[in-house]
Amino acid sequence: MSVIIWHKFKSKIRCFTAQGSKPASDWAKMGIIIDNDANEFLDEVVSRIRSYLDGTDNVTNFIPQSSLRKITDLSLPLEGLGLSNTIRDIDQFLKYSVKTNLPGFMNPLWGGFNIAAFAGEIIATLANNSMYTYELSPMATLIEQALIHRMCEMVGFPDGNGTLTTGGSNGNMIGMMCARYHADPLGQQRGFNGENLVCYVSAESHYSVLMAANVLGIGFDNVIKVPCDLDGRMRVDKLEEEIHRTRVNGQTPFCVIATSGTTVRGSFDPVKDIAEVCSNQELWLHVDAAWGGSCLFSATYRKLMDGIELADSVCWDSHKMMGLPLVCSAFLIKKPEILRKVCSHGNVAHYLFLGDAEEVDLGRTSLQCGRRNDALKLFLAWREKGDAGWARLVENYIDLANYLQAQVESNPNLEMMSSRVWSNVCIRYTSADIDHNIVNKTLRQQLVKTGNFMISQSNIGDDIILRPVIANPSVTKETIDNLVEEIVSIGDDIVRGIPFSN
Ligand SMILES: Cc1ncc(COP(=O)(O)O)c(C=O)c1O
């Protein structure tokens, strides 16, 4: 028997061929088998997954970084430590990881656990394809195309296209790149003088817009933050004023980025009105729907993005409200040829794009070369749930957010800090004669240390606020009751000056 031990990794994984001499074609089919030790290892890993999902831990197991560093072996050894050590490393990792699957995890704009998507993630890693060519990723290519096509349909881009990206930040940058190409197609060859190009965002937009301006050489000064109304929506009258002012200054407006679902308040800019301004002014309209895009599933809430079909490009994160494992995010564009032009640097890759599958080689519409398969998990989850399942998920989140708001409004020690339409609930603890900012900041720190909940702290104007967000399928009314009780109890203790045990 011909057995090749894979010495390099000293693992128990072996390559083998069947007995006897074999024709050359069979060598190509040489498999990988795993022996008993490796099988046991896999069983151990699966048991870790099961107990993690059993959810008996706290959300946080808070420990200062200096202490965690002391009790964790971070050395990279000369000689490998073997698979039994791998299990110990996994245990240490999981013990101190924030348990984002638990209902008390209400911190960023994502959380929970989707088992079909989880399976998709594992299987995609098992297959380990790269998304640049059809030849290398036949199934994944077709799946990604089907997803992009469906998402384009949902935003109202019947002839649109797009790509899966590393997240909304990346999607916003590609949107800005497409807008810049649209304004100055020759610049891609010649180079751009960013200082003359100006874009407009709401004052409450995500910071990734600044990142995009930085990367693309637009410059922070040329990202105009348009003031918002009391509900956190971009003011269209102010947008028009700013565009006028820019033109008078001799600069060139090139793009408006509207937000559907702002990070802190969950506000939706008036896309339809903004689109009208963009159309009159011949400006590209990109919509950052990283957080709010999932409203499109719901007949009740899709009106929040009224006019989205008038946009030129959209980004939409499935790893936020839809609960897909990070990362899974779509960039969608109405006129596909612009994305293709923006990504035309790939045309020189004669070693990759062989010409016979140009239309289906997704590397031609991506900024990445090697790219992981984020499509399979979304595909499996979507087929498992269906549009109706996503709609129920979204609507349930908003119902729960309404419930949380009602609890806050009926509690004398809590107050709402913003109006709301989405599942962001901006609140603070309140009492007579306290420094609200100090109390709420301390309260949040204590809440995280206690370990049952993780919620976010943010600012609205000069006020520090607490922002639980409902984006986790395991949250129930009971979770919310417990959250409210714990916030009030910790707040009361701070105000009474009672020291905490941990
Ligand atoms: C409104 C908005 N846009 C964009 C992003 C960035 O998304 P990502 O983290 O996927 O890059 C976020 C992240 O929270 C966001 O809230």
Side-chain angles (χ1 to χ4, degrees):
M1 175 152 114
S2 151
V3 177
I4 301 165
I5 310 279
W6 203 342
H7 286 290
K8 190 176 169 199
F9 295 103
K10 292 220 155 100
S11 74
K12 304 293 183 183
I13 297 173
R14 293 187 197 147
C15 302
F16 82 109
T17 64
Q19 221 155 13
S21 65
K22 298 299 261 173
S25 61
D26 282 8
W27 281 92
K29 295 181 194 140
M30 192 169 70
I32 291 177
I33 54 163
I34 48 178
D35 66 10
N36 286 343
D37 286 358
N39 262 321
E40 268 173 35
F41 172 77
L42 282 183
D43 289 344
E44 290 290 329
V45 172
V46 171
S47 88
R48 268 35 182 207
I49 294 171
R50 287 222 162 87
S51 50
Y52 183 88
L53 293 177
D54 276 350
T56 48
D57 280 340
N58 280 351
V59 173
T60 60
N61 192 354
F62 182 80
I63 176 166
Q65 62 101 3
S66 54
S67 314
L68 185 56
R69 212 172 268 284
K70 278 189 195 133
I71 58 170
T72 307
D73 180 3
L74 296 170
S75 64
L76 298 171
L78 272 177
E79 282 295 335
L81 303 174
L83 284 178
S84 54
N85 186 74
T86 307
I87 290 294
R88 280 197 292 279
D89 285 347
I90 290 172
D91 285 340
Q92 174 77 351
F93 174 80
L94 287 177
K95 181 170 180 193
Y96 292 103
S97 287
V98 172
K99 307 298 178 302
T100 62
N101 59 314
L102 295 181
F105 182 72
M106 302 159 94
N107 186 57
L109 305 177
W110 50 272
F113 182 79
N114 180 315
I115 198 154
F118 178 67
E121 188 77 323
I122 294 173
I123 300 300
T125 303
L126 181 71
N128 195 29
N129 303 132
S130 178
M131 299 300 293
Y132 33 57
T133 59
Y134 173 79
E135 186 181 70
L136 225 135
S137 293
M139 275 301 291
T141 297
L142 298 190
I143 286 172
E144 179 163 324
Q145 282 184 322
L147 290 166
I148 293 289
H149 180 69
R150 180 78 188 98
M151 291 171 103
C152 277
E153 268 178 3
M154 288 180 69
V155 301
F157 296 169
D159 302 319
N161 196 5
T163 178
L164 294 187
T165 69
T166 59
S169 306
N170 201 242
N172 285 337
M173 188 186 76
I174 302 174
M176 203 185 270
M177 263 180 105
C178 291
R180 186 178 65 166
Y181 178 88
H182 183 244
D184 180 5
L186 299 181
Q188 186 156 301
Q189 188 67 31
R190 179 201 61 220
F192 291 94
N193 176 6
E195 74 187 26
N196 210 36
L197 292 173
V198 177
C199 72
Y200 309 83
V201 298
S202 110
E204 302 201 13
S205 62
H206 189 255
Y207 76 90
S208 56
V209 174
L210 291 177
M211 179 278 286
N214 192 6
V215 174
L216 299 179
I218 301 294
F220 296 152
D221 287 349
N222 295 324
V223 177
I224 307 286
K225 300 236 168 167
V226 179
C228 291
D229 64 16
L230 290 174
D231 298 320
R233 296 151 40 100
M234 186 195 285
R235 278 184 55 182
V236 178
D237 57 331
K238 292 288 177 193
L239 171 65
E240 283 178 306
E241 270 177 32
E242 289 295 342
I243 294 171
H244 178 70
R245 192 178 59 79
T246 310
R247 291 203 198 278
V248 169
N249 281 350
Q251 291 177 292
T252 308
F254 79 107
C255 161
V256 177
I257 298 184
T259 311
S260 290
T262 57
T263 312
V264 177
R265 298 215 250 171
S267 308
F268 285 69
D269 288 341
V271 172
K272 199 173 194 167
D273 298 343
I274 294 172
E276 198 180 315
V277 174
C278 288
S279 163
N280 293 339
Q281 302 275 345
E282 296 184 8
L283 297 181
W284 187 276
L285 173 58
H286 172 77
V287 177
D288 173 358
W291 171 222
S294 304
C295 77
L296 295 173
F297 286 110
S298 161
T300 313
Y301 296 109
R302 67 167 296 136
K303 62 176 183 295
L304 291 169
M305 284 175 67
D306 212 14
I308 187 62
E309 69 286 355
L310 304 171
D312 296 291
S313 58
V314 176
C315 73
W316 172 3
D317 279 358
S318 301
H319 64 226
K320 288 197 163 66
M321 192 167 261
M322 290 164 79
L324 271 285
L326 289 157
V327 298
C328 192
S329 176
F331 171 78
L332 310 169
I333 186 165
K334 185 181 269 166
K335 293 186 181 146
E337 65 278 10
I338 294 192
L339 180 62
R340 198 164 262 266
K341 293 261 173 55
V342 161
C343 297
S344 60
H345 42 255
N347 291 349
V348 299
H350 50 81
Y351 39 82
L352 205 57
F353 304 118
L354 302 177
D356 45 358
E358 227 177 78
E359 280 310 306
V360 281
D361 285 344
L362 300 187
R364 287 179 175 276
T365 47
S366 171
L367 293 186
Q368 290 172 252
C369 177
R371 178 160 71 90
R372 48 178 282 127
N373 168 9
D374 290 322
L376 181 63
K377 59 190 169 191
L378 179 55
F379 179 70
L380 296 183
W382 202 320
R383 279 169 66 88
E384 188 258 332
K385 268 197 165 8
D387 293 357
W390 292 127
R392 280 193 294 275
L393 183 89
V394 169
E395 288 167 10
N396 183 45
Y397 285 165
I398 307 302
D399 288 349
L400 286 168
N402 292 342
Y403 179 74
L404 173 53
Q405 178 170 351
Q407 302 314 299
V408 169
E409 285 171 344
S410 63
N411 192 308
N413 285 117
L414 295 175
E415 61 180 325
M416 290 292 292
M417 296 299 287
S418 168
S419 62
R420 53 160 287 274
V421 292
W422 204 226
S423 75
N424 315 42
V425 189
C426 298
I427 64 174
R428 73 176 177 185
Y429 176 90
T430 181
S431 181
D433 303 326
I434 59 168
D435 182 326
H436 281 96
N437 282 357
I438 291 178
V439 169
N440 280 279
K441 194 172 170 191
T442 316
L443 195 163
R444 197 255 171 193
Q445 282 163 356
Q446 192 51 43
L447 189 77
V448 171
K449 282 187 187 155
T450 307
N452 297 322
F453 290 97
M454 197 174 205
I455 61 173
S456 154
Q457 174 195 311
S458 190
N459 286 30
I460 295 183
D462 293 332
D463 295 321
I464 288 185
I465 60 124
L466 307 173
R467 191 216 56 184
V469 75
I470 318 285
N472 181 334
S474 49
V475 173
T476 61
K477 286 186 175 171
E478 197 189 343
T479 322
I480 289 171
D481 291 340
N482 291 336
L483 172 69
V484 167
E485 199 182 308
E486 194 158 319
I487 290 177
V488 172
S489 149
I490 294 176
D492 288 350
D493 285 354
I494 293 170
V495 171
R496 279 194 238 114
I498 297 177
F500 294 95
S501 53
N502 49 355

